Amino acid sequence: MNTSEKDECARCGAAVPTNTTDKLCPACLMSGALEPPGGRTETISMVPGGPLSLHGPSEFPCELGDYRLLGLLGRGGMGTVYEAEQVSTGRRLALKMLGRQLDSPDMRQRFLREGRLAARVNHPNSLFIFGSEEIDGLPVITMEIAGGGTLKDMLKQRGPLPVPEAVDAILDVISGLESALAGGVLHRDIKPSNCFVCPDGAVKVGDYGLSVSTLAKTDTFVTVHGKIMGTPAFASPEQLRGDELDARADVYSVGATLFTLLTDRAPFEGDNAVQVVANAVNQKPKPLSELREDVPPGLEKVVTRCLAKEPDGRYADYTRLRNALLPFSSKKPEPASMLVRAAAGWIDYLIALLPPYVTLMFVVGAEELLVQPLVERTLYSARYYLLLFGLGFLYFSVVEGIWGAGLGKWLKGLRVVRTNGRPPGFGRALIRILIPILCCEGVRMPLMLALISDANWTGFQTAMYVLAAIGCGWIPGLLALTARRENGFATAWDLASGTRVEIKPKGTVRPSIYLASGPETPDEGADTLGPYRIIREMVPGEWIVATDPVLHRQVWLLRRTSSPPSLARRDVARSSRQRWLQKVETAEGAWDAFEATPGAPFPSLVEGGSRVPWATLRHWLHDLASELWDATGDQTLPTDLSPDQVWITAEGRAILLDEPWPEVSKPAERIPVVDVAGQQRFLNAIAAHVESTSLPLHTRPVLQNLEDRKFEKLSFLTGTLRGLLDRPAEVSRGIRAGSIFMLPFYVWVAVFVGHYHDKEWDSVGRMVMTSVMLVLGAIALIQLLELPFRSTASHTIFRLAVISAKGTRASIPRTLVRWAIVWLPLLLPMLFVVPLINRGEHAAIFTSALVLLLAWIGAAAYAAVRPHRGLHDRLAGTWVVRH
């Protein structure tokens, strides 16, 4: 036969030599699995110990050891994957077999190493590894089967995916990769064919054949050999060059996969694998907007950043990438309430108008800026006044028009968008700011013109000017009366500009737990139980800690004392439930093997009266409530539970065990959970260990209803707990600093620039210090008058509250004590400074004021660094929490 003759690639149709194995071109040989061929209906038995064909069976169903192979799922560089059924358990799974043509000591080591790396990952968005064994002389790995094909299959069937669906899929991939990285695994081969789709639409990461460990002390097989591996169209330039890799290499592959989901083409293509590599290393991908018109510009920027040639140009971690993608997902944004918008708008207003106001006051003076427009009443005399507001309009038009948020909205996690989700643009952003400002100034200026006729203002006119400036500032509030929850809190300027303000979606970070020690290892010559090596017996003859010698994964072996787990229980694949692996038969009886996820039992985390912060416990409560809901649906929920059956993984997930953890000093009460009341009682037993002084005020009614068992359905409770995950749980340093410093700073600038800067002082420093002291005194008086409301304006703006040790709002007497601790050390010495002012002893004034101011700033800075409990809160017995 003439080897120069050409045939077509069985996958992509490219020309290949006729004698090419499997009729695949080089690019397809590197890039993934084949489509499964059609099978037959009759069962074909393979002779035990008989030779397999070079690429495995070609007719299905067929028997292989304890498995019944049902069909071919895919064939890749490391072997072949079959859909299979385990005969002894009836469980459907995927069985990956090392190809005979690849069987060598090195490839066998690499194949088993893939199973060890994948077994480290236990996450809802990563395919679970059940085990590994040897059948007919070849190693096999059994794993979870997704059931919905791959993202590559989805592209073949449907073409480019809708933007929200593509982003949702990638967010699932990111979650799986993040969990793998936390376990010390770098995937290195993310592409559509390695992302598996479940029937419910969730996407799971699989195929860890090219993964490497990020833990230097283990698994250096790939780096020792120094081979450049991966799929060229999806591998990062540094991976193709053979450079050292980190998580940013997988970020590149994630971006390339998203590019493909949106366009049904890889970001880099070529006539052969060499050309693809050259293009990936040297060229920029085509802009998404040229390939698809409906891709939002913001999403295009995210993909472009992921595909940066150098790692430093990409997202540094998955958290930042997730937050950048969430606005384009199918998750419906929550409209921002008017209180949150008012706080953000106030900050933006200060940023937009305060700097130009201060600058103009110093450059041209108060007379030209404020007085002349009212006296001369000409356009020319109002030039600086118009410039002031023009700069403010420019700020809002640019930052909200292009980026959707100024600094104030960015700090509060808000964004302005059109109804189609895109940024407003310059024109719409200008309309948004023109309407409230013109309505305010349209009333204030005519009022001022009627009251002021010359430059010699009387005290009455000055007072009216100040009152008008303050009072007219509330006029936009009348335009906000249209805002209701039903219309997404849309104000008059929202409706006029066709925009809305929404809370920017942001992923929640699940706090991990610290493990005092690493995983246990069996002693040399340790006994075995089935395929496992025994480490120790927690309960002799009943509960054994062991390890899988191939996957290097710990397991728990529980002696079966009653009926075996139901088929539904054995098939449970939720991250909130302990995974059942297999049955182990011995002469003494049967054992059930469960995965031993690294972590700690819940009782050990709360022993000795220890409390758990709400920011952590809320995730555990939601995990357990979701598991109770799901287990009720598939009838895998035990009849009773106790807190001793809760296991907290190292990643901060709560898992429900089938049996109580045996190593507890005092077993907890077992609670019947056959009804909703019992389930709420069990969850309340977990919630009772929350640190009450960390509870936001909005959380307390939910936990009170849980304690009183007021939820009619478990789905109501689970949904409520899910909503709490999206709400702020902690007081950040930025929020606390803003609540402390922003109002005093604003008042000081307004007073100093508007009154003191043009007075005759022999020292600017003395002038500044005197104005500061007067402002702090005014703030102290305002907060004293606010005590009956048990809140301050700053706390209201930044959604903070002061609570007592019981977790409830601090009483008026306690807030009075707190006020006294803050202000009396400042105000009392000021009484001694007043005589110095009357005697004109400016040096003494400056020194005294400086000392007092530095003391106040130091205490305020400490409160910002310790936002939950500053020095004054410690002395007063109070805490600061989110409202």
Side-chain angles (χ1 to χ4, degrees):
M1 180 180 294
N2 186 354
T3 58
S4 64
E5 294 180 1
K6 300 291 184 180
D7 205 339
E8 288 187 355
C9 173
R11 181 180 175 192
C12 68
V16 295
T18 304
N19 60 352
T20 300
T21 303
D22 279 347
K23 295 292 187 281
L24 288 176
C25 67
C28 289
L29 281 171
M30 298 181 70
S31 64
L34 290 173
E35 287 294 303
R40 296 186 180 181
T41 56
E42 71 273 11
T43 299
I44 301 174
S45 297
M46 300 179 64
V47 180
L52 291 170
S53 68
L54 189 63
H55 300 290
S58 57
E59 299 184 26
F60 303 97
C62 64
E63 304 294 333
L64 180 65
D66 188 34
Y67 303 94
R68 192 168 186 249
L69 306 187
L70 305 176
L72 179 66
L73 290 177
R75 181 178 292 131
M78 288 295 294
T80 308
V81 183
Y82 301 96
E83 180 182 1
E85 178 183 2
Q86 191 171 19
V87 177
S88 59
T89 64
R91 178 162 54 191
R92 297 290 283 265
L93 45 75
L95 184 146
K96 186 168 186 176
M97 179 192 303
L98 179 66
R100 283 197 177 274
Q101 76 279 14
L102 301 174
D103 192 12
S104 68
D106 279 355
M107 292 306 296
R108 184 175 290 236
Q109 181 183 354
R110 178 181 293 278
F111 182 81
L112 294 178
R113 177 186 159 280
E114 172 189 348
R116 290 197 297 272
L117 289 174
R120 291 183 187 175
V121 187
N122 182 8
H123 189 271
N125 298 115
S126 183
L127 289 181
F128 184 79
I129 300 296
F130 291 113
S132 67
E133 57 186 292
E134 191 171 290
I135 302 177
D136 292 342
L138 281 179
V140 300
I141 297 173
T142 54
M143 66 191 79
E144 178 183 4
I145 188 169
T150 66
L151 290 178
K152 181 180 178 181
D153 300 328
M154 188 177 293
L155 285 172
K156 285 184 177 181
Q157 297 167 5
R158 299 170 48 191
L161 303 183
V163 170
E165 188 175 350
V167 172
D168 287 348
I170 291 300
L171 288 173
D172 283 349
V173 171
I174 289 173
S175 295
L177 291 176
E178 193 172 38
S179 176
L181 188 64
V185 179
L186 193 66
H187 193 284
R188 299 202 316 165
D189 196 23
I190 287 298
K191 55 187 177 182
S193 60
N194 283 345
C195 302
F196 299 84
V197 183
C198 298
D200 62 358
V203 177
K204 296 176 180 281
V205 175
D207 199 343
Y208 287 82
L210 299 183
S211 301
V212 293
S213 172
T214 61
L215 309 178
K217 62 183 180 181
T218 60
D219 285 329
T220 58
F221 183 83
V222 173
T223 55
V224 167
H225 284 67
K227 294 183 179 179
I228 303 173
M229 304 188 73
T231 305
F234 299 92
S236 65
E238 64 268 25
Q239 183 173 350
L240 297 174
R241 292 192 298 263
D243 296 341
E244 186 177 349
L245 305 180
D246 58 23
R248 292 171 296 180
D250 279 352
V251 167
Y252 178 97
S253 300
V254 167
T257 301
L258 178 55
F259 185 102
T260 303
L261 296 182
L262 293 171
T263 63
D264 197 15
R265 58 183 289 180
F268 300 101
E269 297 176 328
D271 295 333
N272 51 57
V274 174
Q275 186 63 50
V276 172
V277 171
N279 293 340
V281 172
N282 300 312
Q283 294 185 3
K284 292 183 178 180
K286 282 189 175 182
L288 278 172
S289 55
E290 292 185 10
L291 302 174
R292 182 168 174 175
E293 295 181 354
D294 65 335
V295 174
L299 180 58
E300 182 176 10
K301 292 179 182 178
V302 174
V303 175
T304 300
R305 184 173 176 182
C306 290
L307 295 177
K309 297 299 181 186
E310 296 301 325
D312 289 342
R314 303 175 204 140
Y315 293 96
D317 53 54
Y318 291 120
T319 299
R320 297 179 187 178
L321 177 55
R322 176 187 293 108
N323 289 337
L325 287 173
L326 275 172
F328 310 101
S329 69
S330 62
K331 183 177 181 180
K332 188 176 181 180
E334 180 183 352
S337 67
M338 291 309 301
L339 190 59
V340 176
R341 290 181 59 175
W346 180 66
I347 297 172
D348 274 327
Y349 177 81
L350 295 184
I351 295 171
L353 295 177
L354 203 57
Y357 170 75
V358 172
T359 303
L360 290 171
M361 286 289 283
F362 276 103
V363 173
V364 304
E367 184 174 347
E368 288 193 59
L369 178 61
L370 303 176
V371 179
Q372 284 186 3
L374 299 175
V375 175
E376 298 181 11
R377 307 186 182 198
T378 63
L379 189 62
Y380 179 78
S381 65
R383 63 192 183 281
Y384 296 116
Y385 173 83
L386 296 175
L387 176 62
L388 170 64
F389 282 99
L391 293 174
F393 293 154
L394 181 64
Y395 168 83
F396 280 99
S397 300
V398 171
V399 297
E400 290 192 358
I402 298 177
W403 298 295
L407 183 60
K409 289 184 176 62
W410 178 77
L411 288 173
K412 301 292 287 183
L414 308 181
R415 64 173 183 171
V416 182
V417 295
R418 285 185 279 171
T419 53
N420 60 5
R422 294 176 179 266
F426 187 89
R428 294 174 188 269
L430 183 59
I431 293 174
R432 286 181 51 80
I433 188 60
L434 277 175
I435 291 177
I437 293 296
L438 291 182
C439 288
C440 176
E441 291 301 298
V443 174
R444 191 181 72 86
M445 286 305 292
L447 182 61
M448 291 296 95
L449 291 172
L451 292 173
I452 298 172
S453 58
D454 56 56
N456 297 318
W457 289 14
T458 65
F460 172 76
Q461 290 173 323
T462 301
M464 290 303 298
Y465 183 89
V466 173
L467 290 175
I470 296 174
C472 292
W474 291 94
I475 293 177
L478 300 176
L479 303 179
L481 294 178
T482 60
R484 300 181 302 277
R485 181 170 293 276
E486 294 75 18
N487 67 356
F489 297 107
T491 61
W493 52 90
D494 293 327
L495 298 173
S497 61
T499 60
R500 64 173 183 264
V501 181
E502 59 189 27
I503 299 175
K504 188 176 181 180
K506 187 177 181 180
T508 56
V509 178
R510 182 183 290 266
S512 58
I513 65 170
Y514 172 74
L515 299 181
S517 59
E520 301 172 277
T521 56
D523 298 328
E524 290 292 331
D527 294 335
T528 60
L529 184 62
Y532 303 110
R533 296 179 64 187
I534 297 176
I535 297 176
R536 65 186 178 95
E537 294 190 53
M538 284 197 293
V539 180
E542 295 183 17
W543 191 316
I544 294 175
V545 181
T547 186
D548 185 322
V550 178
L551 297 181
H552 298 179
R553 178 176 63 188
Q554 281 195 5
V555 299
W556 291 322
L557 296 166
L558 276 68
R559 180 185 289 276
R560 186 176 292 176
T561 57
S562 58
S563 58
S566 65
L567 181 60
R569 174 63 189 94
R570 284 177 279 172
D571 285 342
V572 167
R574 297 185 292 269
S575 61
S576 52
R577 194 69 178 271
Q578 188 181 18
R579 286 267 194 170
W580 183 86
L581 300 178
Q582 68 178 85
K583 173 185 175 182
V584 178
E585 291 275 11
T586 66
E588 292 77 18
W591 298 73
D592 289 302
F594 294 91
E595 181 195 17
T597 308
F602 177 76
S604 71
L605 301 177
V606 296
E607 62 183 355
S610 296
R611 297 288 172 171
V612 183
W614 171 248
T616 299
L617 190 69
R618 59 178 178 161
H619 292 279
W620 302 351
L621 279 177
H622 177 257
D623 292 340
L624 295 173
S626 298
E627 176 56 35
L628 293 180
W629 168 253
D630 291 331
T632 301
D634 61 18
Q635 299 182 348
T636 60
L637 185 67
T639 56
D640 53 55
L641 293 171
S642 82
D644 296 342
Q645 289 176 252
V646 177
W647 180 265
I648 308 300
T649 71
E651 295 181 356
R653 293 184 176 276
I655 291 180
L656 199 61
L657 306 180
D658 283 32
E659 296 293 335
W661 184 252
E663 296 180 333
V664 293
S665 56
K666 183 180 179 181
E669 176 191 5
R670 297 186 69 91
I671 301 171
V673 291
V674 294
D675 57 15
V676 177
Q679 293 163 359
Q680 292 182 73
R681 185 182 167 200
F682 167 71
L683 292 173
N684 184 63
I686 304 298
H689 296 279
V690 70
E691 187 180 68
S692 61
T693 54
S694 70
L695 277 176
L697 287 189
H698 63 258
T699 300
R700 179 162 294 278
V702 176
L703 296 188
Q704 187 62 54
N705 289 340
L706 175 61
E707 183 179 358
D708 297 339
R709 303 170 206 170
K710 289 186 176 180
F711 290 94
E712 296 181 7
K713 296 182 179 180
L714 189 60
S715 58
F716 296 171
L717 172 59
T718 305
T720 301
L721 292 174
R722 177 65 186 87
L724 292 178
L725 296 181
D726 295 328
R727 302 193 65 176
E730 297 178 297
V731 181
S732 68
R733 292 178 178 176
I735 291 293
R736 191 73 178 103
S739 70
I740 294 173
F741 292 108
M742 186 159 289
L743 185 58
F745 176 74
Y746 168 67
V747 175
W748 174 76
V749 170
V751 171
F752 170 69
V753 175
H755 185 69
Y756 286 101
H757 82 282
D758 58 353
K759 302 298 181 183
E760 292 185 3
W761 289 76
D762 59 352
S763 169
V764 175
R766 293 188 182 95
M767 175 181 63
V768 171
M769 297 302 297
T770 302
S771 63
V772 166
M773 298 306 295
L774 290 176
V775 168
L776 290 180
I779 297 295
L781 178 60
I782 292 173
Q783 291 191 1
L784 180 63
L785 296 176
E786 291 173 330
L787 287 180
F789 303 100
R790 295 195 291 179
S791 183
T792 66
S794 292
H795 282 176
T796 301
I797 290 172
F798 288 94
R799 304 290 290 163
L800 301 178
V802 178
I803 63 171
S804 65
K806 295 181 179 180
T808 57
R809 272 190 183 274
S811 63
I812 294 178
R814 188 171 293 277
T815 54
L816 178 60
V817 171
R818 184 177 184 268
W819 177 92
I821 292 172
V822 174
W823 294 110
L824 288 185
L826 180 68
L827 298 179
L828 291 178
M830 286 176 62
L831 298 177
F832 298 96
V833 176
V834 173
L836 299 177
I837 297 176
N838 295 331
R839 293 198 299 266
E841 298 181 17
H842 293 162
I845 294 172
F846 178 77
T847 303
S848 302
L850 180 62
V851 171
L852 293 175
L853 179 62
L854 290 178
W856 184 87
I857 291 177
Y862 180 85
V865 173
R866 304 281 185 177
H868 187 49
R869 203 178 192 202
L871 180 61
H872 58 298
D873 286 306
R874 293 178 183 276
L875 295 175
T878 56
W879 287 258
V880 178
V881 298
R882 298 303 294 255
H883 194 282

